[in-house]
């Protein structure tokens, strides 16, 4: 969460997050999200980036063979060591019309990272030609290797899984591409969602995610 100048600003942020209408991945939104995912996967594959599908995106492609219509974004995970290689793909992705933001950093020291290290990277569609921020988002959560596992931050939480899920990543065919997915994808989905085979539009990854191990630390 960003730092705020006053309590009113913080309440306004909460109101917008809680009540604004979220995009659904249908129609034009679906086409944009699909192309964004494929463009990023192509760039990562060619640059040798250690990435994998994650969250609702992994769930949809494994369970349904497609993106989930009621999902609101696309999710990937990436090893911290691969961030420089991914940054080398920025010109290519920008030329495709995607807007990139990588200023999201860790707000405090924790077991696997230090304050100021990168937390996530976001790519969006442009709203008007190449200008203006669109609402279709691809989130890349940066994971850190520590004590036999990978750790990352998401929605104010610290998450962890055994390193084997990503050290032995596999491939999934979709959209005419080979996309990287965690090893034992079904076991990984069970950690994230529990009964992942049953569609649940009300799933809340802020509290229902089985990989959560604590709250994100923030420096005073």
């Amino acid at each position: 969460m960003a730092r705020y100048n006053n309590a009113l600003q913080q309440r306004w942020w909460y109101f917008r997050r809680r009540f604004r209408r979220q995009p659904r991945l249908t129609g034009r939104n679906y086409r944009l999200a699909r192309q964004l995912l494929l463009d990023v996967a192509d760039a990562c594959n060619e640059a040798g980036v250690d990435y994998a599908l994650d969250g609702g995106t992994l769930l949809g492609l494994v369970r349904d063979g497609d993106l989930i219509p009621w999902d609101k974004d696309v999710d990937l995970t990436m090893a911290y060591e691969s961030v420089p290689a991914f940054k080398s793909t920025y010109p290519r992705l920008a030329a495709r019309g995607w807007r990139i933001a990588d200023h999201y950093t860790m707000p405090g020291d924790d077991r696997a990272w230090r304050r100021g290290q990168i937390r996530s990277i976001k790519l969006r569609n442009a709203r008007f030609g190449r200008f203006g921020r669109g609402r279709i988002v691809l989130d890349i959560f940066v994971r850190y290797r520590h004590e036999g596992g990978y750790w990352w931050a998401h929605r104010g939480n610290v998450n962890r899984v055994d390193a084997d899920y990503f050290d032995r990543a596999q491939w999934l065919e979709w959209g005419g591409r080979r996309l990287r997915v965690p090893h034992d994808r079904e076991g990984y989905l069970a950690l994230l969602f529990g009964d992942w085979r049953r569609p649940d539009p009300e799933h809340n990854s802020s509290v229902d995610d089985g990989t959560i191990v604590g709250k994100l630390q923030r420096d005073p």
Side-chain angles (χ1 to χ4, degrees):
M1 185 185 299
R3 298 182 183 274
Y4 301 97
N5 295 328
N6 52 55
L8 179 61
Q9 188 179 24
Q10 185 170 1
R11 287 196 296 270
W12 171 242
W13 179 90
Y14 174 80
F15 177 83
R16 291 184 66 230
R17 292 279 296 181
R18 178 68 178 83
F19 296 106
R20 71 177 178 178
R21 184 180 177 183
Q22 296 288 352
R24 290 169 56 89
L25 300 186
T26 58
R28 180 175 181 271
N29 287 347
Y30 168 82
R31 294 189 293 273
L32 284 169
R34 182 182 188 276
Q35 192 59 58
L36 176 54
L37 173 56
L38 294 178
D39 284 351
V40 171
D42 285 345
C44 287
N45 290 341
E46 293 185 17
V49 173
D50 180 2
Y51 78 100
L53 302 182
D54 204 3
T57 303
L58 176 67
L59 174 63
L61 268 60
V62 171
R63 185 187 65 199
D64 308 325
D66 211 340
L67 300 176
I68 299 173
W70 59 79
D71 211 350
K72 67 181 189 309
D73 56 16
V74 178
D75 296 318
L76 299 183
T77 176
M78 178 181 297
Y80 172 70
E81 292 76 12
S82 280
V83 170
F86 184 65
K87 287 186 175 183
S88 73
T89 73
Y90 284 7
R92 168 182 176 167
L93 293 168
R96 296 284 292 170
W98 307 118
R99 298 171 59 88
I100 307 166
D102 59 8
H103 58 271
Y104 304 96
T105 59
M106 297 298 185
D109 292 349
D110 213 299
R111 285 159 287 189
W113 54 74
R114 292 293 177 263
R115 180 179 184 270
Q117 287 187 292
I118 189 166
R119 174 168 51 94
S120 64
I121 302 170
K122 292 181 182 289
L123 291 90
R124 297 176 182 266
N125 65 307
R127 194 170 186 178
F128 304 106
R130 294 183 182 274
F131 303 96
R133 192 175 71 174
R135 299 183 66 194
I136 302 305
V137 180
L138 184 146
D139 276 320
I140 302 175
F141 303 105
V142 178
R143 50 184 159 83
Y144 291 77
R145 182 71 180 262
H146 179 66
E147 293 183 347
Y150 281 106
W151 304 65
W152 68 96
H154 177 48
R155 294 190 174 182
N157 296 312
V158 175
N159 304 67
R160 181 200 179 276
V161 295
D162 290 343
D164 189 58
Y165 285 111
F166 296 113
D167 285 347
R168 294 200 293 153
Q170 299 173 330
W171 296 94
L172 179 149
E173 300 284 342
W174 183 76
R177 309 294 203 281
R178 297 177 75 237
L179 309 180
R180 284 173 61 90
V181 297
H183 171 71
D184 184 16
R185 66 195 73 173
E186 295 188 357
Y188 184 73
L189 286 170
L191 283 176
L192 294 182
F193 297 100
D195 184 8
W196 59 272
R197 292 179 174 85
R198 179 178 60 86
D200 180 12
E202 301 304 317
H203 176 83
N204 183 350
S205 61
S206 298
V207 295
D208 300 329
D209 188 331
T211 69
I212 296 172
V213 295
K215 302 301 291 183
L216 184 61
Q217 298 297 314
R218 304 176 186 280
D219 287 351

